[in-house]
Amino acid sequence: MDNALCRMNGCDFPLFAFSHCRDVVVAVSKAGGFGVFGAAAYTPEQFEEELAWIDAHIDGAPYGVDVLVPETVDARVTSFTSNAERAAAISAEHKAFTADLLGRYGVHIPEDQQTRIREGAGITPENGQKLMEVAFRHPIRMIANALGIAPPEMIAEGKKRGIPVAALVGAKEHALRQAAAGVDIIVAQGGEAGGHCGEVSTLVLVPEVVRALKGAGQDIPVLAAGGIMTGGQMAAMMAAGAQGAWCGSVWLCTPEAETSPAFRQKMVDARSRDTVRSKARTGKPARQLKTAWHEAWDDPAGPGTLPMPLMGMVSEPSFAHIEKAVVNGNEQARDLVSYFVGQGVGLVEAERSCRQVVQDFREEFAEAVMGLNAMLED
Amino acid sequence: MDNALCRMNGCDFPLFAFSHCRDVVVAVSKAGGFGVFGAAAYTPEQFEEELAWIDAHIDGAPYGVDVLVPETVDARVTSFTSNAERAAAISAEHKAFTADLLGRYGVHIPEDQQTRIREGAGITPENGQKLMEVAFRHPIRMIANALGIAPPEMIAEGKKRGIPVAALVGAKEHALRQAAAGVDIIVAQGGEAGGHCGEVSTLVLVPEVVRALKGAGQDIPVLAAGGIMTGGQMAAMMAAGAQGAWCGSVWLCTPEAETSPAFRQKMVDARSRDTVRSKARTGKPARQLKTAWHEAWDDPAGPGTLPMPLMGMVSEPSFAHIEKAVVNGNEQARDLVSYFVGQGVGLVEAERSCRQVVQDFREEFAEAVMGLNAMLED
């Protein structure tokens, strides 16, 4: 296939794979798609190691990175400069609430592990900046940003090095702001997407963003994101004006992914209605598999969710302990197993390799186009 | 164009127009689409008159009807058998709340008009049944039902007369139940749709329903609904497995529609984020243009929404008075003007005739297919 986006990023088939797992990135890029490595969970040192591994294994295939440089920071956390300070701001009530909630499922978490204090990691503007600097030392073919306007340094450095800068948006107005700031690719992500997302659906958002950019004289390719699990849906969004698809959830049910067998089983079993857009994992609205964790944190009668990055400092060790409990035979803990995933989870039927997913997308894409042509010709 | 759905319903282009306005139904069917007349607001006598008018003006073009026969009725209203009884169940608190809310926008509603008591109208199982009987006395080419499984009498009568029965669904499981009950067409309506809707997006729901029906050995055409305002989106959903598009919102900004000039102006101005899925108009979750009315009724601190059909008995006279106030020069009342509309409202740029909308869909559809082909050929 060939379009402006393929030429810009050097890929053969404009299927983008967002993943926190280097194996997925490498497998997808080698299969003709375009792997995008999500840096958010890493320290700059770990990120450097991961990218070095990718460079050594990807056989020169193109890949990109996604860093999170939040544009706005909750007023409750702006004064903190270290994760130790941030952890100290988490109230005893929130900690007791967490321990009680996990305890009801037989998951016990030692008090000293209840809050994750890992200096140099976490979604903060300073950390995002450092991750960006690491990324530019590698042969990336794209750098993406989410949670606000891409920082000026990212755009300047991208232009200097000829590396396209992509930005994730959930609303037309944000796409226009990003384009005005100088980004090269817009990822229009609908509200059905896993992870941080807005409320407008992919089917509405994609043509809305494409039309708005055209109206503003911005000739920028748009990637469709949110709910896309098949080549038929990818063809659909390209019929609606996108130049490619950006997928996250579909890679989570592959053997290459970082996900646990327990979560992958839940993906296979889940219906599309089993996700929720909730602040209960990162502190900002993100779609994920719905569990009692989300019900409890989103309950107005409870202590309420914490701002980013505090919420993640509580939720990540909790979910790690939930996974450990399942491995250790606690069947009850399976109920709490969760991860970021979109409504498209209802379309997952089995675990497949990344290469197989890319191959299936290609075939389904071709079938969808043939089907449309057949209807017009009859 | 030609596919199973076009053959089944006798239309040339599988663009379905759901409308409560006979003029829209006639204009769309005459332009080669398929008008579907929504009966819910009418008494059986009025419905008879409307259908007779359609028969006299549609020049033999095919059209259908949509009746609402709710499968379940809220336990709070099951004991009532007349609208007078239902009206008596609306609390003084709810009435005062309404009057106060409207009053803040300078809209005054006489106490005796605050609740609409129109015997023989309203969304109830008995009324739905009567409307259905009226429909079958006319040369309809399809009868659709929403809010639950189509009643057995509708399916039996449809089969006897060779009239396809369609059912609106918002979840895969509901599609399978409808198919098992014997319906001929499934309308898979995503959560971005105007009016009663579920939570799964159109882009996910359509392929999910198509795949589930195929898996169950049910060879039933699927119409995509929710968010579709352009031929590009229609092509998109047909690439994803639908045989046509069912649209409601796009017809509301036409001169033929029942909507007021004030509402049409709000449609042109609205962003896709300006809608809300709320119980504040009918008592069941329905997407509509968001206003202070919805914020107040959905506020947990308020008296809360009423069950169907009580909520409509309060909301409809209120919205009628809001519209009247605008006509009489109350600019403040414009803020409260609202109607059922989907997220696709963000794609509405101007008022167009129904014929023009159908023509634009055809052209955009062809362009979308050509664009896809060009990418594959390069």
Side-chain angles (χ1 to χ4, degrees), chain B residues 37-116:
Chain B
F37 188 64
Y42 296 98
T43 64
E45 295 71 29
Q46 292 169 326
F47 188 47
E48 170 62 42
E49 275 177 41
E50 298 291 306
L51 293 188
W53 189 91
I54 290 173
D55 293 340
H57 291 82
I58 206 163
D59 296 350
Y63 76 96
V65 296
D66 180 291
V67 298
L68 286 182
V69 188
E71 190 183 0
T72 57
V73 174
D74 192 288
R76 289 170 286 178
V77 295
T78 41
S79 64
F80 304 124
T81 57
S82 72
N83 282 346
E85 278 181 276
R86 291 182 184 102
I90 298 166
S91 77
E93 186 199 2
H94 282 98
K95 288 183 193 169
F97 178 79
T98 308
D100 175 64
L101 173 58
L102 296 184
R104 278 185 270 139
Y105 291 80
V107 177
H108 301 289
I109 181 164
E111 215 179 308
D112 64 337
Q113 292 174 38
Q114 219 186 15
T115 313
R116 190 179 63 172

Side-chain angles (χ1 to χ4, degrees), chain B residues 45-350:
Chain B
E45 295 71 29
Q46 292 169 326
F47 188 47
E48 170 62 42
E49 275 177 41
E50 298 291 306
L51 293 188
W53 189 91
I54 290 173
D55 293 340
H57 291 82
I58 206 163
D59 296 350
Y63 76 96
V65 296
D66 180 291
V67 298
L68 286 182
V69 188
E71 190 183 0
T72 57
V73 174
D74 192 288
R76 289 170 286 178
V77 295
T78 41
S79 64
F80 304 124
T81 57
S82 72
N83 282 346
E85 278 181 276
R86 291 182 184 102
I90 298 166
S91 77
E93 186 199 2
H94 282 98
K95 288 183 193 169
F97 178 79
T98 308
D100 175 64
L101 173 58
L102 296 184
R104 278 185 270 139
Y105 291 80
V107 177
H108 301 289
I109 181 164
E111 215 179 308
D112 64 337
Q113 292 174 38
Q114 219 186 15
T115 313
R116 190 179 63 172
I117 311 176
R118 203 154 48 99
E119 295 301 347
I123 303 173
T124 63
E126 328 67 275
N127 200 37
Q129 189 77 26
K130 285 185 197 155
L131 293 170
M132 190 178 87
E133 288 162 15
V134 171
F136 279 121
R137 293 201 291 268
H138 292 265
I140 54 172
R141 293 293 299 265
M142 186 189 81
I143 183 164
N145 184 56
L147 299 181
I149 291 284
E153 309 82 54
M154 187 187 286
I155 292 170
E157 197 69 17
K159 293 222 181 302
K160 203 175 88 182
R161 296 171 182 262
I163 296 167
V165 176
L168 275 84
V169 303
K172 177 184 79 172
E173 299 75 24
H174 300 170
L176 290 171
R177 281 177 62 212
Q178 298 277 8
V183 308
D184 305 288
I185 297 167
I186 295 289
V187 185
Q189 186 179 45
E192 58 265 67
H196 296 117
C197 63
E199 292 182 273
V200 179
S201 80
T202 307
L203 178 60
V204 171
L205 185 67
V206 168
E208 201 181 9
V209 165
V210 168
R211 191 194 284 177
L213 291 172
K214 198 173 281 181
Q218 296 276 10
D219 185 22
I220 297 178
V222 173
L223 273 165
I228 303 174
M229 312 294 275
T230 71
Q233 292 171 299
M234 179 178 172
M237 287 302 94
M238 290 174 75
Q243 297 234 342
W246 169 286
C247 305
S249 303
V250 76
W251 316 107
L252 298 176
C253 202
T254 65
E256 290 92 344
E258 75 276 23
T259 48
S260 67
F263 180 73
R264 287 182 215 163
Q265 188 55 50
K266 283 188 103 164
M267 281 188 76
V268 171
D269 296 341
R271 304 173 311 170
S272 53
R273 292 191 282 169
D274 293 336
T275 72
V276 64
R277 185 172 172 267
S278 164
K279 294 184 183 176
R281 186 141 184 174
T282 72
K284 289 188 188 272
R287 191 171 292 283
Q288 47 208 293
L289 202 63
K290 190 176 183 172
T291 69
W293 171 276
H294 305 93
E295 276 165 41
W297 283 98
D298 290 335
D299 186 347
T305 52
L306 293 158
M308 179 180 275
L310 306 192
M311 191 73 235
M313 295 173 77
V314 172
S315 70
E316 291 309 328
S318 296
F319 282 107
H321 276 81
I322 290 163
E323 293 279 0
K324 259 187 229 166
V326 171
V327 169
N328 292 333
N330 175 349
E331 285 300 309
Q332 219 188 344
R334 280 185 194 273
D335 290 350
L336 291 180
V337 168
S338 175
Y339 196 50
F340 304 106
V341 73
Q343 292 187 338
V345 71
L347 288 162
V348 173
E349 290 180 342

Side-chain angles (χ1 to χ4, degrees), chain A residues 75-97:
Chain A
R76 289 170 287 178
V77 295
T78 41
S79 65
F80 304 124
T81 57
S82 73
N83 282 346
E85 278 181 276
R86 292 183 184 103
I90 298 166
S91 77
E93 186 199 1
H94 281 96
K95 288 183 193 170
F97 178 78

Side-chain angles (χ1 to χ4, degrees), chain A residues 68-153:
Chain A
L68 286 183
V69 188
E71 190 183 0
T72 57
V73 174
D74 192 289
R76 289 170 287 178
V77 295
T78 41
S79 65
F80 304 124
T81 57
S82 73
N83 282 346
E85 278 181 276
R86 292 183 184 103
I90 298 166
S91 77
E93 186 199 1
H94 281 96
K95 288 183 193 170
F97 178 78
T98 308
D100 176 63
L101 173 57
L102 296 184
R104 278 186 269 138
Y105 290 80
V107 178
H108 300 289
I109 181 165
E111 216 180 307
D112 64 337
Q113 291 175 39
Q114 219 186 15
T115 313
R116 189 178 66 174
I117 311 175
R118 204 155 46 100
E119 296 300 348
I123 303 173
T124 64
E126 326 71 273
N127 200 36
Q129 188 76 28
K130 284 184 197 156
L131 293 169
M132 189 179 88
E133 288 162 16
V134 171
F136 278 121
R137 292 201 293 267
H138 291 265
I140 55 172
R141 294 292 299 264
M142 185 190 81
I143 184 164
N145 183 58
L147 300 182
I149 292 284
E153 309 82 54

